[in-house]
Coordinates of all heavy atoms in Angstrom, one line a residue:
M1 N -5.4 -6.8 -27.3 CA -6.4 -6.4 -26.3 C -5.8 -6.3 -24.9 O -5.1 -7.2 -24.5 CB -7.6 -7.4 -26.3 CG -8.9 -6.8 -25.7 SD -10.1 -8.1 -25.7 CE -9.7 -9.0 -24.3
A2 N -6.1 -5.3 -24.1 CA -5.6 -5.1 -22.8 C -6.3 -6.1 -21.9 O -7.4 -6.4 -22.1 CB -5.8 -3.7 -22.3
G3 N -5.5 -6.6 -20.9 CA -6.1 -7.6 -20.0 C -7.0 -6.8 -19.1 O -7.1 -5.6 -19.0
K4 N -7.8 -7.6 -18.3 CA -8.8 -7.0 -17.4 C -8.0 -6.4 -16.3 O -6.9 -6.9 -15.9 CB -9.7 -8.1 -16.8 CG -10.8 -8.5 -17.8 CD -11.8 -9.3 -17.0 CE -13.1 -9.5 -17.8 NZ -14.0 -10.3 -17.1
T5 N -8.6 -5.4 -15.7 CA -7.9 -4.8 -14.6 C -8.7 -4.7 -13.3 O -9.9 -4.9 -13.3 CB -7.5 -3.3 -14.9 OG1 -8.6 -2.6 -15.2 CG2 -6.5 -3.2 -16.1
A6 N -8.0 -4.5 -12.2 CA -8.7 -4.4 -10.9 C -7.9 -3.3 -10.2 O -6.7 -3.0 -10.5 CB -8.7 -5.6 -10.1
K7 N -8.6 -2.6 -9.3 CA -8.0 -1.5 -8.6 C -7.1 -2.0 -7.4 O -7.6 -2.9 -6.7 CB -9.1 -0.6 -8.1 CG -8.6 0.9 -8.0 CD -9.7 1.8 -7.6 CE -11.0 2.0 -8.5 NZ -10.7 2.5 -9.8
V8 N -6.0 -1.4 -7.2 CA -5.2 -1.6 -6.0 C -5.0 -0.2 -5.4 O -4.6 0.8 -6.1 CB -3.8 -2.2 -6.3 CG1 -2.9 -2.3 -5.1 CG2 -3.9 -3.6 -7.0
I9 N -5.3 -0.1 -4.1 CA -5.0 1.2 -3.4 C -3.7 0.9 -2.6 O -3.7 0.0 -1.7 CB -6.0 1.6 -2.4 CG1 -7.4 1.4 -3.0 CG2 -5.8 3.0 -1.9 CD1 -7.9 2.5 -3.9
A10 N -2.6 1.6 -2.9 CA -1.4 1.3 -2.2 C -1.0 2.6 -1.4 O -1.1 3.7 -1.9 CB -0.2 1.1 -3.2
V11 N -0.7 2.4 -0.1 CA -0.3 3.6 0.7 C 1.2 3.5 0.9 O 1.7 2.5 1.4 CB -1.1 3.4 2.1 CG1 -0.7 4.7 2.9 CG2 -2.6 3.3 1.9
D12 N 1.8 4.6 0.5 CA 3.3 4.6 0.6 C 3.8 4.9 2.0 O 3.0 5.1 2.9 CB 3.9 5.5 -0.5 CG 3.6 7.0 -0.2 OD1 3.3 7.3 0.9 OD2 3.6 7.7 -1.2
R13 N 5.1 5.0 2.1 CA 5.6 5.1 3.5 C 5.4 6.5 4.0 O 5.7 6.8 5.2 CB 7.1 4.7 3.5 CG 7.2 3.3 3.1 CD 8.6 2.7 3.3 NE 8.7 1.3 2.8 CZ 9.1 1.0 1.5 NH1 9.5 2.0 0.7 NH2 9.0 -0.2 1.2
E14 N 5.0 7.5 3.2 CA 4.6 8.8 3.7 C 3.2 8.9 4.0 O 2.7 10.0 4.3 CB 5.0 9.8 2.6 CG 6.5 10.3 2.6 CD 7.4 9.2 2.0 OE1 7.1 8.7 0.9 OE2 8.3 8.8 2.7
G15 N 2.5 7.8 3.8 CA 1.0 7.9 4.1 C 0.2 8.3 2.9 O -1.1 8.5 3.0
Q16 N 0.8 8.5 1.8 CA 0.1 8.9 0.6 C -0.6 7.7 -0.1 O 0.1 6.7 -0.3 CB 1.2 9.5 -0.3 CG 0.7 10.2 -1.6 CD 0.4 11.7 -1.3 OE1 1.1 12.3 -0.4 NE2 -0.5 12.3 -1.9
E17 N -1.8 7.9 -0.5 CA -2.5 6.9 -1.2 C -2.4 7.0 -2.7 O -2.5 8.0 -3.3 CB -4.0 7.0 -0.8 CG -4.4 6.2 0.3 CD -6.0 6.1 0.5 OE1 -6.7 6.2 -0.5 OE2 -6.4 5.9 1.6
H18 N -2.2 5.8 -3.3 CA -2.1 5.7 -4.8 C -3.1 4.7 -5.3 O -3.2 3.6 -4.8 CB -0.7 5.3 -5.2 CG 0.4 6.1 -4.6 ND1 1.0 7.1 -5.3 CD2 1.0 6.2 -3.4 CE1 1.9 7.7 -4.6 NE2 1.9 7.1 -3.4
E19 N -4.0 5.2 -6.2 CA -5.0 4.4 -6.8 C -4.4 3.9 -8.1 O -4.1 4.6 -9.0 CB -6.2 5.1 -7.0 CG -7.5 4.3 -6.9 CD -8.7 5.1 -7.1 OE1 -9.1 5.8 -6.1 OE2 -9.4 5.0 -8.2
I20 N -4.2 2.6 -8.2 CA -3.6 2.0 -9.4 C -4.4 1.0 -10.0 O -5.1 0.2 -9.4 CB -2.2 1.2 -8.9 CG1 -1.4 2.1 -8.0 CG2 -1.5 0.8 -10.1 CD1 -0.3 1.4 -7.2
E21 N -4.5 1.1 -11.3 CA -5.3 0.1 -12.1 C -4.3 -1.0 -12.4 O -3.3 -0.8 -13.1 CB -5.7 0.8 -13.4 CG -7.2 0.8 -13.8 CD -8.2 0.4 -12.8 OE1 -8.6 -0.8 -12.7 OE2 -8.8 1.3 -12.2
G22 N -4.5 -2.2 -11.9 CA -3.6 -3.3 -12.1 C -4.1 -4.4 -13.0 O -5.3 -4.6 -13.0
T23 N -3.3 -5.1 -13.7 CA -3.7 -6.2 -14.6 C -4.0 -7.4 -13.7 O -3.2 -7.8 -12.9 CB -2.7 -6.5 -15.6 OG1 -2.3 -5.3 -16.3 CG2 -3.1 -7.6 -16.6
I24 N -5.2 -7.9 -14.0 CA -5.5 -9.2 -13.3 C -4.6 -10.3 -13.6 O -4.2 -10.4 -14.8 CB -7.0 -9.5 -13.6 CG1 -7.9 -8.5 -12.7 CG2 -7.3 -11.0 -13.2 CD1 -9.3 -8.7 -13.0
G25 N -4.1 -11.0 -12.6 CA -3.2 -12.1 -12.9 C -1.7 -11.7 -12.4 O -0.9 -12.5 -12.2
W26 N -1.5 -10.4 -12.4 CA -0.3 -9.9 -11.9 C -0.3 -10.0 -10.4 O -1.3 -10.0 -9.8 CB 0.0 -8.4 -12.3 CG 0.4 -8.1 -13.7 CD1 0.0 -8.9 -14.8 CD2 1.1 -7.1 -14.2 NE1 0.5 -8.3 -15.9 CE2 1.2 -7.2 -15.6 CE3 1.8 -6.0 -13.5 CZ2 1.9 -6.3 -16.4 CZ3 2.5 -5.1 -14.3 CH2 2.6 -5.2 -15.8
S27 N 0.9 -10.0 -9.8 CA 1.0 -10.0 -8.4 C 0.8 -8.5 -7.9 O 1.1 -7.6 -8.7 CB 2.3 -10.5 -7.8 OG 3.3 -9.6 -8.1
V28 N 0.4 -8.3 -6.7 CA 0.2 -6.9 -6.2 C 1.6 -6.2 -6.1 O 1.7 -5.1 -6.5 CB -0.4 -7.0 -4.8 CG1 -0.3 -5.6 -4.0 CG2 -1.9 -7.4 -4.9
M29 N 2.7 -7.0 -5.9 CA 4.0 -6.4 -5.9 C 4.3 -5.8 -7.3 O 4.8 -4.7 -7.4 CB 5.0 -7.5 -5.6 CG 6.5 -7.1 -5.6 SD 7.2 -7.2 -7.3 CE 7.6 -8.9 -7.5
E30 N 4.0 -6.6 -8.4 CA 4.3 -6.1 -9.7 C 3.5 -4.9 -10.0 O 4.0 -4.0 -10.7 CB 4.0 -7.2 -10.7 CG 4.9 -8.4 -10.7 CD 4.5 -9.6 -11.5 OE1 3.3 -10.0 -11.4 OE2 5.2 -10.2 -12.2
V31 N 2.2 -4.9 -9.6 CA 1.3 -3.7 -9.9 C 1.9 -2.5 -9.2 O 2.0 -1.4 -9.8 CB -0.1 -4.0 -9.4 CG1 -1.0 -2.7 -9.5 CG2 -0.7 -5.1 -10.3
V32 N 2.3 -2.6 -8.0 CA 2.8 -1.5 -7.2 C 4.1 -1.0 -7.7 O 4.3 0.2 -7.8 CB 2.9 -1.9 -5.7 CG1 3.6 -0.8 -4.9 CG2 1.5 -2.1 -5.1
R33 N 5.0 -1.9 -8.1 CA 6.3 -1.6 -8.6 C 6.2 -0.9 -10.0 O 6.9 0.1 -10.2 CB 7.2 -2.8 -8.7 CG 8.7 -2.5 -8.9 CD 9.5 -3.8 -8.9 NE 9.1 -4.7 -9.9 CZ 9.7 -5.9 -10.1 NH1 10.7 -6.2 -9.4 NH2 9.3 -6.7 -11.0
E34 N 5.3 -1.4 -10.8 CA 5.1 -0.9 -12.2 C 4.7 0.6 -12.0 O 5.0 1.4 -12.9 CB 4.1 -1.7 -12.9 CG 3.8 -1.4 -14.3 CD 4.9 -1.8 -15.3 OE1 5.9 -2.5 -14.8 OE2 4.9 -1.4 -16.4
A35 N 3.9 0.9 -11.0 CA 3.4 2.2 -10.8 C 4.4 3.2 -10.3 O 4.2 4.3 -10.1 CB 2.1 2.2 -9.8
G36 N 5.6 2.6 -10.0 CA 6.7 3.5 -9.6 C 6.9 3.7 -8.1 O 7.6 4.5 -7.6
L37 N 6.1 2.9 -7.4 CA 6.2 3.0 -5.9 C 7.5 2.3 -5.4 O 7.9 1.4 -6.0 CB 5.0 2.5 -5.2 CG 3.9 3.5 -4.9 CD1 3.2 4.0 -6.1 CD2 2.9 3.0 -3.9
P38 N 8.0 2.8 -4.3 CA 9.3 2.3 -3.8 C 9.1 0.9 -3.1 O 9.2 0.8 -1.9 CB 9.8 3.3 -2.9 CG 8.6 4.0 -2.3 CD 7.5 3.9 -3.5
I39 N 8.9 -0.1 -3.8 CA 8.9 -1.5 -3.3 C 10.1 -2.2 -3.9 O 10.3 -2.2 -5.0 CB 7.6 -2.1 -3.6 CG1 7.4 -3.4 -2.7 CG2 7.3 -2.5 -5.1 CD1 5.9 -3.7 -2.5
E40 N 11.0 -2.7 -3.0 CA 12.3 -3.1 -3.5 C 12.1 -4.5 -4.3 O 12.6 -4.6 -5.3 CB 13.3 -3.3 -2.4 CG 14.7 -3.6 -2.9 CD 15.6 -3.8 -1.8 OE1 15.4 -3.4 -0.6 OE2 16.6 -4.5 -2.0
A41 N 11.4 -5.4 -3.7 CA 11.2 -6.7 -4.3 C 12.5 -7.3 -4.8 O 12.6 -7.7 -6.0 CB 10.1 -6.6 -5.4
A42 N 13.4 -7.4 -4.0 CA 14.8 -7.7 -4.4 C 14.9 -9.1 -5.0 O 15.7 -9.3 -5.9 CB 15.7 -7.7 -3.2
C43 N 14.0 -10.1 -4.7 CA 14.1 -11.3 -5.3 C 13.3 -11.5 -6.6 O 13.3 -12.5 -7.2 CB 13.8 -12.4 -4.3 SG 12.0 -12.6 -4.0
G44 N 12.6 -10.4 -6.9 CA 11.8 -10.5 -8.2 C 10.5 -11.3 -8.1 O 10.0 -11.6 -9.1
G45 N 10.1 -11.6 -6.8 CA 8.8 -12.3 -6.7 C 8.9 -13.7 -6.4 O 8.0 -14.5 -6.6
C46 N 10.1 -14.2 -6.0 CA 10.3 -15.6 -5.7 C 10.1 -16.0 -4.3 O 10.5 -17.1 -3.9 CB 11.8 -16.0 -6.1 SG 12.2 -15.6 -7.8
C47 N 9.5 -15.1 -3.5 CA 9.2 -15.4 -2.1 C 10.5 -15.7 -1.3 O 10.6 -16.5 -0.6 CB 8.3 -16.5 -2.0 SG 7.4 -16.7 -0.5
A48 N 11.6 -14.9 -1.6 CA 12.8 -15.2 -1.0 C 13.5 -14.0 -0.4 O 14.7 -14.0 -0.1 CB 13.8 -15.8 -2.0
C49 N 12.8 -12.8 -0.2 CA 13.5 -11.6 0.2 C 12.7 -10.8 1.3 O 13.3 -10.2 2.1 CB 13.9 -10.7 -0.9 SG 12.4 -9.9 -1.6
A50 N 11.4 -10.9 1.2 CA 10.5 -10.2 2.2 C 10.6 -8.7 2.0 O 10.0 -7.9 2.8 CB 10.7 -10.6 3.6
T51 N 11.3 -8.2 0.9 CA 11.3 -6.7 0.7 C 10.0 -6.2 0.0 O 9.9 -5.1 -0.4 CB 12.5 -6.2 0.0 OG1 12.5 -6.9 -1.3 CG2 13.8 -6.5 0.7
C52 N 9.0 -7.1 -0.2 CA 7.8 -6.7 -0.8 C 6.7 -6.8 0.2 O 5.6 -6.8 0.0 CB 7.4 -7.6 -2.0 SG 7.1 -9.3 -1.5
H53 N 7.2 -6.7 1.5 CA 6.2 -6.8 2.7 C 5.2 -5.7 2.7 O 5.6 -4.5 2.6 CB 7.2 -6.8 3.9 CG 6.5 -6.8 5.2 ND1 7.1 -6.5 6.4 CD2 5.2 -7.2 5.6 CE1 6.3 -6.7 7.4 NE2 5.1 -7.0 6.9
V54 N 3.9 -6.1 2.8 CA 2.9 -5.1 3.0 C 1.9 -5.4 4.0 O 1.9 -6.6 4.5 CB 2.0 -4.9 1.7 CG1 2.9 -4.4 0.5 CG2 1.4 -6.2 1.3
Y55 N 1.2 -4.4 4.5 CA 0.1 -4.7 5.4 C -1.2 -4.7 4.6 O -1.5 -3.7 3.9 CB 0.0 -3.7 6.5 CG 1.4 -3.5 7.3 CD1 2.0 -2.4 7.3 CD2 1.9 -4.6 7.9 CE1 3.3 -2.2 7.9 CE2 3.1 -4.6 8.6 CZ 3.8 -3.3 8.5 OH 5.0 -3.2 9.2
V56 N -2.0 -5.7 4.8 CA -3.2 -5.8 3.9 C -4.4 -5.3 4.7 O -4.5 -5.7 5.9 CB -3.5 -7.3 3.5 CG1 -4.7 -7.4 2.6 CG2 -2.3 -7.8 2.6
D57 N -5.2 -4.5 4.2 CA -6.4 -4.0 4.9 C -7.3 -5.1 5.3 O -7.5 -6.1 4.5 CB -7.2 -3.1 3.9 CG -8.0 -2.1 4.6 OD1 -7.5 -1.2 5.2 OD2 -9.3 -2.2 4.5
E58 N -7.8 -5.1 6.5 CA -8.5 -6.2 7.2 C -9.7 -6.7 6.2 O -9.9 -7.9 6.2 CB -9.1 -5.7 8.4 CG -8.1 -5.3 9.5 CD -7.3 -6.5 10.1 OE1 -7.8 -7.6 9.9 OE2 -6.2 -6.2 10.6
A59 N -10.3 -5.8 5.6 CA -11.5 -6.2 4.8 C -11.1 -7.2 3.7 O -11.9 -8.0 3.2 CB -12.1 -5.0 4.1
F60 N -9.8 -7.1 3.2 CA -9.4 -8.0 2.2 C -8.6 -9.2 2.6 O -8.4 -10.2 1.9 CB -8.5 -7.2 1.2 CG -9.4 -6.3 0.3 CD1 -9.7 -5.0 0.7 CD2 -10.0 -6.8 -0.8 CE1 -10.5 -4.2 -0.1 CE2 -10.8 -6.0 -1.7 CZ -11.1 -4.7 -1.2
L61 N -8.2 -9.1 3.8 CA -7.4 -10.2 4.4 C -8.0 -11.6 4.3 O -7.4 -12.6 3.8 CB -7.0 -9.9 5.9 CG -5.7 -10.4 6.5 CD1 -4.5 -10.1 5.6 CD2 -5.6 -9.9 7.9
A62 N -9.3 -11.6 4.6 CA -10.0 -12.9 4.6 C -10.2 -13.4 3.2 O -10.4 -14.6 3.0 CB -11.4 -12.7 5.2
K63 N -10.1 -12.6 2.2 CA -10.3 -13.0 0.8 C -9.0 -13.6 0.2 O -9.0 -14.2 -0.9 CB -10.6 -11.8 -0.1 CG -12.0 -11.2 0.2 CD -12.4 -10.2 -0.8 CE -13.7 -9.6 -0.4 NZ -14.1 -8.7 -1.5
L64 N -7.9 -13.5 1.0 CA -6.6 -14.1 0.4 C -6.5 -15.4 0.8 O -7.0 -15.9 1.9 CB -5.4 -13.3 1.0 CG -5.4 -11.8 0.7 CD1 -4.2 -11.1 1.3 CD2 -5.5 -11.5 -0.8
D65 N -5.7 -16.3 0.0 CA -5.4 -17.6 0.4 C -4.5 -17.5 1.6 O -3.8 -16.5 1.7 CB -4.6 -18.3 -0.8 CG -5.6 -18.5 -2.0 OD1 -6.8 -18.6 -1.7 OD2 -5.0 -18.6 -3.1
E66 N -4.4 -18.5 2.4 CA -3.5 -18.6 3.5 C -2.1 -18.5 2.9 O -1.8 -19.1 1.9 CB -3.7 -20.0 4.2 CG -4.9 -20.1 5.0 CD -4.9 -19.2 6.3 OE1 -3.9 -19.2 7.0 OE2 -5.9 -18.4 6.5
P67 N -1.2 -17.9 3.7 CA 0.2 -17.9 3.2 C 0.7 -19.3 3.1 O 0.4 -20.1 4.1 CB 1.0 -17.1 4.2 CG 0.0 -16.7 5.3 CD -1.4 -17.1 4.9
D68 N 1.5 -19.6 2.1 CA 2.1 -20.9 2.1 C 3.3 -21.0 3.0 O 3.8 -20.0 3.5 CB 2.3 -21.4 0.7 CG 3.4 -20.7 -0.1 OD1 4.2 -20.0 0.7 OD2 3.5 -20.7 -1.3
P69 N 3.8 -22.2 3.3 CA 4.9 -22.3 4.3 C 6.2 -21.4 3.9 O 6.8 -20.8 4.8 CB 5.3 -23.8 4.2 CG 4.1 -24.4 3.7 CD 3.4 -23.5 2.8
D70 N 6.4 -21.3 2.6 CA 7.6 -20.4 2.2 C 7.3 -19.0 2.6 O 8.2 -18.3 3.1 CB 7.8 -20.4 0.7 CG 8.4 -21.7 0.2 OD1 8.9 -22.4 1.1 OD2 8.4 -21.9 -1.0
E71 N 6.1 -18.5 2.4 CA 5.8 -17.1 2.7 C 5.9 -16.9 4.3 O 6.5 -16.0 4.7 CB 4.4 -16.7 2.2 CG 4.1 -15.3 2.5 CD 2.8 -14.8 1.9 OE1 2.1 -15.5 1.1 OE2 2.3 -13.7 2.3
N72 N 5.4 -17.9 5.0 CA 5.4 -17.8 6.4 C 6.8 -17.7 6.9 O 7.2 -17.0 7.9 CB 4.7 -18.9 7.1 CG 3.2 -18.6 7.2 OD1 2.8 -17.5 7.4 ND2 2.4 -19.6 7.1
M73 N 7.7 -18.5 6.3 CA 9.1 -18.6 6.7 C 9.8 -17.2 6.4 O 10.5 -16.7 7.3 CB 9.8 -19.6 5.9 CG 10.8 -20.4 6.7 SD 11.4 -21.8 5.7 CE 12.3 -20.9 4.5
M74 N 9.5 -16.6 5.3 CA 10.1 -15.3 5.0 C 9.5 -14.2 6.0 O 10.2 -13.4 6.5 CB 9.8 -14.9 3.6 CG 10.6 -15.6 2.5 SD 12.3 -15.8 2.9 CE 12.9 -14.1 3.1
L75 N 8.2 -14.3 6.3 CA 7.6 -13.3 7.2 C 8.2 -13.4 8.5 O 8.3 -12.5 9.3 CB 6.1 -13.5 7.2 CG 5.3 -12.9 6.0 CD1 3.9 -13.3 6.0 CD2 5.5 -11.4 6.0
D76 N 8.5 -14.7 9.0 CA 9.2 -14.9 10.2 C 10.5 -14.1 10.4 O 10.8 -13.7 11.5 CB 9.5 -16.4 10.4 CG 8.4 -17.1 11.0 OD1 7.4 -16.5 11.4 OD2 8.5 -18.4 11.1
E77 N 11.1 -13.9 9.3 CA 12.4 -13.1 9.3 C 12.2 -11.7 9.0 O 13.2 -10.9 9.1 CB 13.3 -13.8 8.3 CG 13.8 -15.2 8.7 CD 14.6 -15.9 7.7 OE1 15.1 -15.2 6.7 OE2 14.7 -17.1 7.8
A78 N 11.1 -11.2 8.6 CA 10.8 -9.9 8.3 C 10.7 -9.0 9.6 O 10.5 -9.5 10.6 CB 9.6 -9.7 7.4
F79 N 10.9 -7.7 9.4 CA 10.7 -6.7 10.5 C 9.3 -6.2 10.6 O 8.7 -6.1 9.6 CB 11.7 -5.6 10.3 CG 13.2 -6.1 10.4 CD1 13.9 -6.3 9.2 CD2 13.8 -6.3 11.6 CE1 15.2 -6.7 9.2 CE2 15.2 -6.8 11.7 CZ 15.8 -6.9 10.5
E80 N 9.0 -5.7 11.7 CA 7.7 -5.1 11.9 C 6.5 -5.8 11.4 O 5.6 -5.3 10.8 CB 7.7 -3.7 11.2 CG 8.8 -2.8 11.6 CD 8.6 -1.9 12.8 OE1 7.4 -1.7 13.2 OE2 9.5 -1.3 13.3
V81 N 6.5 -7.1 11.7 CA 5.4 -8.0 11.2 C 4.2 -7.8 12.0 O 4.3 -7.7 13.3 CB 6.0 -9.5 11.2 CG1 4.8 -10.3 10.8 CG2 7.1 -9.7 10.2
Q82 N 3.1 -7.7 11.4 CA 1.8 -7.6 12.1 C 0.9 -8.7 11.6 O 1.2 -9.5 10.7 CB 1.1 -6.2 11.6 CG 2.0 -5.0 12.0 CD 1.3 -3.7 11.5 OE1 0.2 -3.7 11.0 NE2 2.0 -2.6 11.7
D83 N -0.3 -8.8 12.3 CA -1.2 -9.9 11.9 C -1.6 -9.8 10.5 O -1.9 -10.8 9.8 CB -2.5 -9.8 12.8 CG -2.2 -10.2 14.2 OD1 -1.1 -10.8 14.4 OD2 -3.0 -9.9 15.0
N84 N -1.6 -8.6 9.9 CA -2.1 -8.5 8.5 C -0.9 -8.3 7.5 O -1.0 -7.9 6.4 CB -3.0 -7.3 8.4 CG -2.3 -6.0 8.7 OD1 -1.3 -5.9 9.4 ND2 -3.0 -4.9 8.4
S85 N 0.3 -8.8 8.0 CA 1.5 -8.8 7.1 C 1.4 -9.8 6.0 O 1.1 -11.0 6.3 CB 2.8 -9.0 7.9 OG 3.1 -7.9 8.6
R86 N 1.7 -9.4 4.8 CA 1.8 -10.4 3.7 C 2.9 -10.0 2.8 O 3.4 -8.9 2.7 CB 0.5 -10.5 2.9 CG -0.7 -11.1 3.7 CD -0.5 -12.5 4.2 NE -0.4 -13.5 3.1 CZ -1.3 -14.2 2.5 NH1 -2.5 -14.2 3.1 NH2 -1.0 -15.1 1.6
L87 N 3.4 -11.0 2.0 CA 4.4 -10.7 0.9 C 3.5 -10.3 -0.3 O 2.8 -11.2 -0.8 CB 5.3 -11.8 0.7 CG 6.2 -12.1 1.9 CD1 7.1 -13.3 1.6 CD2 7.0 -10.9 2.4
S88 N 3.7 -9.1 -0.8 CA 2.8 -8.7 -2.0 C 3.1 -9.5 -3.2 O 2.2 -9.5 -4.1 CB 2.9 -7.2 -2.1 OG 4.2 -6.9 -2.5
C89 N 4.2 -10.1 -3.3 CA 4.5 -10.9 -4.6 C 3.7 -12.2 -4.6 O 3.6 -12.9 -5.6 CB 6.0 -11.2 -4.8 SG 6.7 -12.3 -3.6
Q90 N 3.2 -12.6 -3.4 CA 2.4 -13.8 -3.3 C 0.9 -13.5 -3.4 O 0.1 -14.5 -3.3 CB 2.7 -14.5 -2.0 CG 4.2 -14.9 -1.9 CD 4.7 -15.7 -3.0 OE1 4.2 -16.8 -3.3 NE2 5.7 -15.3 -3.8
I91 N 0.5 -12.3 -3.6 CA -0.9 -12.0 -3.7 C -1.2 -11.8 -5.2 O -0.6 -10.8 -5.8 CB -1.2 -10.7 -2.9 CG1 -0.9 -10.8 -1.5 CG2 -2.8 -10.4 -3.0 CD1 -1.0 -9.5 -0.7
K92 N -2.0 -12.6 -5.8 CA -2.3 -12.5 -7.2 C -3.6 -11.6 -7.3 O -4.6 -11.9 -6.7 CB -2.5 -13.8 -7.8 CG -2.2 -13.8 -9.2 CD -2.4 -15.2 -9.8 CE -1.3 -15.5 -10.8 NZ -1.2 -16.8 -11.3
L93 N -3.6 -10.6 -8.1 CA -4.7 -9.7 -8.3 C -5.8 -10.5 -9.1 O -5.5 -11.2 -10.1 CB -4.3 -8.5 -9.1 CG -5.2 -7.3 -9.0 CD1 -5.5 -6.9 -7.6 CD2 -4.7 -6.1 -9.8
S94 N -7.0 -10.4 -8.5 CA -8.1 -11.1 -9.2 C -9.3 -10.1 -9.1 O -9.2 -9.0 -8.4 CB -8.5 -12.3 -8.4 OG -8.9 -12.0 -7.1
E95 N -10.4 -10.4 -9.8 CA -11.6 -9.6 -9.7 C -12.1 -9.4 -8.3 O -12.6 -8.4 -7.9 CB -12.7 -10.1 -10.6 CG -12.6 -9.6 -12.0 CD -13.4 -10.3 -13.1 OE1 -14.6 -10.6 -12.8 OE2 -12.8 -10.7 -14.0
E96 N -12.0 -10.5 -7.6 CA -12.5 -10.5 -6.2 C -11.7 -9.5 -5.3 O -12.2 -9.0 -4.4 CB -12.3 -11.9 -5.6 CG -13.4 -12.2 -4.7 CD -13.0 -13.4 -3.8 OE1 -12.0 -14.1 -4.1 OE2 -13.6 -13.6 -2.7
L97 N -10.5 -9.3 -5.7 CA -9.6 -8.4 -4.9 C -9.7 -6.9 -5.4 O -8.9 -6.1 -5.0 CB -8.2 -8.9 -4.9 CG -7.9 -10.3 -4.2 CD1 -6.4 -10.6 -4.3 CD2 -8.4 -10.3 -2.8
D98 N -10.6 -6.6 -6.3 CA -10.7 -5.3 -6.8 C -10.8 -4.3 -5.6 O -11.8 -4.4 -4.8 CB -11.9 -5.2 -7.7 CG -12.0 -3.9 -8.4 OD1 -11.0 -3.3 -8.7 OD2 -13.2 -3.4 -8.5
G99 N -10.0 -3.3 -5.5 CA -10.1 -2.3 -4.5 C -9.2 -2.7 -3.3 O -9.2 -1.9 -2.3
I100 N -8.4 -3.7 -3.4 CA -7.5 -4.1 -2.3 C -6.6 -3.0 -1.8 O -6.0 -2.3 -2.6 CB -6.7 -5.4 -2.6 CG1 -6.0 -5.9 -1.4 CG2 -5.8 -5.2 -3.8 CD1 -5.3 -7.3 -1.5
R101 N -6.6 -2.8 -0.5 CA -5.7 -1.7 0.0 C -4.6 -2.3 0.8 O -4.7 -3.1 1.7 CB -6.6 -0.9 1.0 CG -6.0 0.5 1.4 CD -7.2 1.3 2.0 NE -6.7 2.6 2.3 CZ -6.1 3.0 3.4 NH1 -5.7 2.1 4.3 NH2 -5.7 4.2 3.5
V102 N -3.4 -1.9 0.4 CA -2.2 -2.4 1.1 C -1.3 -1.2 1.5 O -1.3 -0.1 0.8 CB -1.4 -3.3 0.1 CG1 -2.2 -4.5 -0.2 CG2 -0.9 -2.6 -1.1
T103 N -0.6 -1.3 2.5 CA 0.3 -0.3 3.0 C 1.7 -0.9 3.0 O 2.0 -2.0 3.5 CB 0.0 0.1 4.5 OG1 -1.4 0.5 4.5 CG2 0.8 1.2 5.0
L104 N 2.6 -0.2 2.4 CA 4.0 -0.6 2.3 C 4.6 -0.7 3.7 O 4.5 0.3 4.5 CB 4.9 0.3 1.4 CG 4.4 0.5 0.0 CD1 5.6 1.1 -0.8 CD2 4.0 -0.7 -0.7
A105 N 5.2 -1.8 4.0 CA 5.9 -1.9 5.3 C 7.2 -1.1 5.3 O 7.7 -0.8 4.2 CB 6.2 -3.3 5.6
P106 N 7.7 -0.6 6.5 CA 8.9 0.2 6.5 C 10.1 -0.5 5.9 O 10.1 -1.7 6.0 CB 9.1 0.4 8.0 CG 7.9 -0.1 8.8 CD 7.1 -0.9 7.8
E107 N 11.0 0.2 5.4 CA 12.2 -0.3 4.8 C 13.3 -0.4 5.9 O 13.4 0.5 6.7 CB 12.7 0.7 3.8 CG 12.6 0.1 2.3 CD 13.1 1.2 1.3 OE1 13.0 2.4 1.7 OE2 13.3 0.7 0.2
F108 N 14.2 -1.4 5.7 CA 15.3 -1.5 6.6 C 16.6 -1.6 5.9 O 16.6 -2.0 4.8 CB 15.1 -2.7 7.5 CG 14.0 -2.5 8.5 CD1 12.8 -3.0 8.2 CD2 14.3 -1.8 9.7 CE1 11.7 -2.7 9.2 CE2 13.2 -1.7 10.7 CZ 12.0 -2.1 10.4
Ligands
LIG1 S1 9.7 -9.9 -3.9 FE1 10.9 -11.1 -2.7 S2 9.6 -12.1 -1.3 FE2 8.3 -10.9 -2.6

């Protein structure tokens, strides 16, 4: 039986929107990468690279858990950080996050 899914709207670096059906319990990084979008995620989701940096739509920002100290440390070293910057490997897809909209941060 397939797992439950929730929608992720990912905006790529060309401004193109992708509507992706993601499995609940996966990280947003895994969902976006599985869909073939260019998210590097060099560390594979261990919160150690910041190449899964995304900007989270304001409407969903408040629904996320606060970043843990490791995530904040990585974000400190990331480029082009904004108030709504998060590491997508640390966002776990849930029913509550259905429709979450994220924009891939620029690559360096
Ligand atoms: S994949 Fe490396 S910090 Fe998210």
